[in-house]
Amino acid sequence: MRVAIIGTGRVGLVTGASLASIGHHVTLVDIDAERVRAITQGRAPFFEAGLPELLTQTISQGRLAATLDLPQAVAGADITMIAVGTPLREGSIDLSDLGKTAEQVGTALRSATGYRVIAVKSTVVPGTTDTLVRGVVERASGKPAGTFGFCMSPEFLREGSAVHDSLEPDRIIIGQQDARAGRVLLELYEPFDCPKLVTSLRNAELIKYTSNALLATLVSFSNEIAALCEATPGTDVDTVLHGVHLDRRL
């Protein structure tokens, strides 16, 4: 399949290289000319184990490219993934870059033919894909949803192990606007041998936030247990937590 990924941060770049490695043709889009040049030369703009080798492999095979030309990349793609940043600012999520990108995607799709899917990979609050993204794309393209589909496909990548996590995911979540859009994403991810959960757009968005919250809670709890072990002679935090995690419920 032909995939355009907008945003070449850790999520966009690693996802793009991984999809290219399983046979898809991926075009990465960014507004930073130096970053695009570096990727084109097979140089990763940040450290991730195995990423330079994966870039070199997929670029040499002609399955991965990078460009500044968003309209051309989107016009030639079956699936457009939005992977721009959504940082927290003063306690609220900043969706300004997401909104601008959605408008550019919609404009690029104005003259496009055939069914296309727009998939959000950015971390967004529930309701963002089916309100903000869908509304902006519809207005900018002049076409109603159904001409193209919407999906939400959250990422679960650990910094430093993102390539491994992308190539060997423990699960794939597909939030779908409708079954047709979901089937396109299922086809995209078909080579990955892991559980795939197809659900609603808002469930997918909330799964990402819930996963982040649970991980943060576990880290905080583990730190408390480590402090307790340091204060308790004859105990070892690694052994204690290993014993706890043998519980099937965890």
Side-chain angles (χ1 to χ4, degrees):
M1 302 181 77
R2 299 169 301 166
V3 184
I5 299 181
I6 304 171
T8 62
R10 184 165 276 100
V11 174
L13 183 54
V14 172
T15 298
S18 298
L19 290 174
S21 75
I22 61 171
H24 299 296
H25 287 82
V26 180
T27 302
L28 301 165
V29 182
D30 205 284
I31 60 173
D32 186 330
E34 180 53 39
R35 180 173 285 239
V36 167
R37 187 178 303 110
I39 294 170
T40 300
Q41 295 170 352
R43 295 186 287 114
F46 48 80
F47 174 76
E48 274 295 340
L51 184 55
E53 295 82 2
L54 194 61
L55 289 177
T56 299
Q57 171 195 332
T58 52
I59 291 171
S60 66
Q61 292 170 340
R63 292 203 296 264
L64 184 69
T67 183
L68 298 167
D69 193 338
L70 183 149
Q72 183 179 36
V74 171
D78 304 303
I79 301 169
T80 295
M81 290 186 166
I82 300 176
V84 298
T86 53
L88 286 175
R89 301 192 191 282
E90 299 180 355
S92 298
I93 187 172
D94 184 351
L95 298 174
S96 57
D97 286 344
L98 183 70
K100 292 174 185 175
T101 301
E103 183 173 10
Q104 291 174 310
V105 170
T107 301
L109 289 173
R110 179 174 286 274
S111 59
T113 59
Y115 185 72
R116 311 296 181 94
V117 171
I118 298 99
V120 175
K121 286 201 77 69
S122 305
T123 299
V124 295
V125 295
T128 301
T129 304
D130 63 358
T131 56
L132 172 65
V133 176
R134 174 178 171 172
V136 171
V137 171
E138 285 183 322
R139 287 194 298 273
S141 67
K143 301 175 182 179
T147 305
F148 32 74
F150 291 93
C151 285
M152 202 285 164
S153 181
E155 53 81 21
F156 303 98
L157 306 180
R158 296 170 297 169
E159 186 171 340
S161 302
V163 170
H164 175 271
D165 293 344
S166 187
L167 292 173
E168 299 183 28
D170 51 13
R171 83 281 207 193
I172 290 174
I173 306 299
I174 299 172
Q176 62 179 17
Q177 165 198 311
D178 52 41
R180 185 181 184 187
R183 284 194 298 271
V184 174
L185 267 289
L186 280 172
E187 181 181 350
L188 178 76
Y189 293 130
E190 194 277 332
F192 294 113
D193 183 18
C194 67
K196 300 178 180 74
L197 174 62
V198 180
T199 183
S200 69
L201 294 170
R202 296 190 179 197
N203 276 341
E205 291 164 333
L206 190 53
I207 285 169
K208 170 60 177 175
Y209 271 99
T210 303
S211 178
N212 285 357
L214 179 58
L215 287 172
T217 300
L218 289 174
V219 169
S220 179
F221 178 76
S222 297
N223 287 338
E224 291 297 321
I225 298 302
L228 179 61
C229 286
E230 288 179 358
T232 307
T235 62
D236 171 67
V237 65
D238 291 333
T239 303
V240 170
L241 291 179
H242 176 65
V244 169
H245 283 281
L246 291 175
D247 189 331
R248 295 187 190 91
R249 294 169 298 178
L250 300 177

